[in-house]
Amino acid sequence: MYALGYRSLKFQLTGISRVSSSEDANKYLRKLDTPEKHRPIRVILDTETALARDILLRHVHDVHVRKRNFHFILSKPTLEEFWTSQRAELGALNVTGFLAVNPKQSEVKNFEEGWKHQLSNMADTSLNMNISAYYYHDSVRVLLKSLASMVKSARFQRFVKGEPRDCLQIPPTPLPGGEALAGFLKREIINDGVTGKIQFDDSEELIKGQRKNFSMVIVESTISGYRMIGSWTGRRVFWSSVSPNLPTALPQINEKKKLRITTLISPPYMMYKTEENTTGNDQFEGYCKDLIDMLANELDFEYELKLVQDGQYGSYEESEGRWNGMIGELIQGKADLAIADLIITGQRQRVVKFTDPFEMSAFSLILKNPHSAPSSSAYFILNAFSPNVWICIFAAFILFTLLFHGITKFTGAPDSIESASGIWGRKLTIIANVWFTVGSSVMQDTGVYPRSISSRILSIAWWIFTFMLACLFIASLTSQLREDSTEKDNSPQLSQLRALSLESIISESISNGWPKIGIVSSGNIEKFLKKSAVPVYKQYKEYLESNPDVKVSTISEGIKRVRKSKGNYIFMLESLASEYAFRRQPCDIVVTHDSAFYVGYGIALPYTSQLKSSIDTALDSIQNKGLLGHLYRKWWIDSSECKNGKTQAVSHDTIRSFSGLLCMTVSGFLIILIVFGIQYTRRSQKREVRRQQLSFEDMNLDRTLPMPPPELLGEAPPVLNLPEVEKRTLL
């Protein structure tokens, strides 16, 4: 390689670096790519083939170098698999190398088919051979043919005479005839070797035994893998007159003649349909889905829509040295297009191509509307008090019941307790005290009246507590049910908030520490803040570093956090995403935009793709027809769940609002039925047991009793004097 460079191509060596890993090589390549250098940088990779592959793959993902400035030359011979296995990534680079074997030769095909036949009975039938296997094959052929020629010669008879030698002797004793065998090897010629013609040079000018008259194919990387551009014989280079294959207006990529489009779920750009039994491309809908259909109609192509595996847009991972998300799939050749709300950035443009923006978006802030009504729920009546208050009320109920039961136990049972037999008396049971507590809570007469002074004082305190509690409950529900949305949307507080700029709100948040402003972690806004020279954004970047808890992983998570907050959390995102969230139920978000910064959404393509000009032309045609504006109205304005884009009051007079109360009433009925069933079953069992205990004579006792006198049969039964009965009972 060095002889080729110095003698034929006149290379000028400017630097040498010994590397042991792809990371070391990548650092050295970054040093070579300086801004003042505009000429091509030719790099010779004099490493093993595996390490050279790792260096190239890491380089194609690197965002800190200009890849078109580099021309890589591989010194080690390679196989066809080296160029075809990573064709999408190597196709984005300018790489020149050598093929150890020509895959088009019949000798190579026969050799590989023979090995496949030998491996047919094994579990692993994959043909994973390295270059050494091909050279070993030719080496064994040369050795066998040389030995055969040597055996046939007259000199061989002199070598085999003599005493036998022990091959395992230490130290070994060399056999005679080694120089003669070397001579046979040098003179041997094989024209149909797997690696080409095998012949050695026996002249004194070069090293004895050097191979000559061989030919290695020179190849360079292309979109489809590689192409042959010449051959090298060890002394001379023969360049072939090849021309690149000119692509058609819209080349199809894979065998199915379909473009593979990668995307991700991000409302309203891409969403799942609500209809069931949908598969393939029909299971998606949204702004980008309609845009893809328009492009397919304009350019007349078919496509296969699939979601990106890791659910990411695409960012460079320093630790791995690779891109993830949709950008990574484009670089690795897993997709032909990436269509989503994908922001065009300079870092991404270093590794993929972008079309002209099909939509522009600014930065915005969303926050909870301080006057928005709470969401309507089935149990909205429970919103009158917080959960802690309800827990305290339940604890007070239990405490009063226990105190009342304890006091009445030592001071006497309450008065006027009606027994099941209809005779008034006094009984001391916990059930009666619970009944008194429940009834007095809702201001109802329970028929239980305290007797002692202490129990009456406790009852008066409980009545006052329940009366005030009922007033507070009614007042809290009334404040929730009263809502004037028009007045709230035009309130001075919201008007002043919407008039503030994004920088003013961020400055107020940093200086006062309230409200907190969050962003998506490792998103485009965070990358913008790291590079921004605006003082306010620099302060906000430091604020994020000291308060990592304000970051969220996704936009939907940030919107949920805003809605759950009471105005103490603000979320920064792109304006189109904020407008969509602003028009979603429960319509409790306020949005403020900043038109100082804009980002564009574009369609990403692999760096080697030839589709950019065609798609740009189609996008321009779609925009001139007004179809992009139609898509915006369809998925943002017409699909809005909020009237006139304003925060709406939530109505509580629907059946859903009172469904919780109805559920509690129905639950009470069910409990009553269950208790009644248990009581009825137990009484029936007791009645049956008592009936079985009676003898036959007892059951027929009424038949043996004498009949009353006839004069008494016509008189009315005597009436009991209840006061006298009660007096006798007391005595």
Side-chain angles (χ1 to χ4, degrees), residues 686-710:
K686 289 181 179 180
R687 187 181 300 111
E688 183 65 22
V689 171
R690 291 178 59 188
R691 190 183 66 83
Q692 293 177 358
Q693 291 177 352
L694 295 176
S695 60
F696 178 79
E697 292 79 5
D698 294 334
M699 295 176 63
N700 295 276
L701 184 62
D702 55 340
R703 300 178 183 178
T704 59
L705 291 175
M707 293 294 294

Side-chain angles (χ1 to χ4, degrees), residues 563 580-589 636-637 639-648:
R563 284 184 166 141
Y580 182 77
F582 173 67
R583 290 181 168 88
R584 299 292 100 185
Q585 287 285 359
C587 308
D588 56 351
I589 289 179
W636 271 267
I637 299 176
S639 63
S640 175
E641 298 176 355
C642 305
K643 297 179 181 179
N644 300 324
K646 295 183 179 181
T647 302
Q648 301 296 319

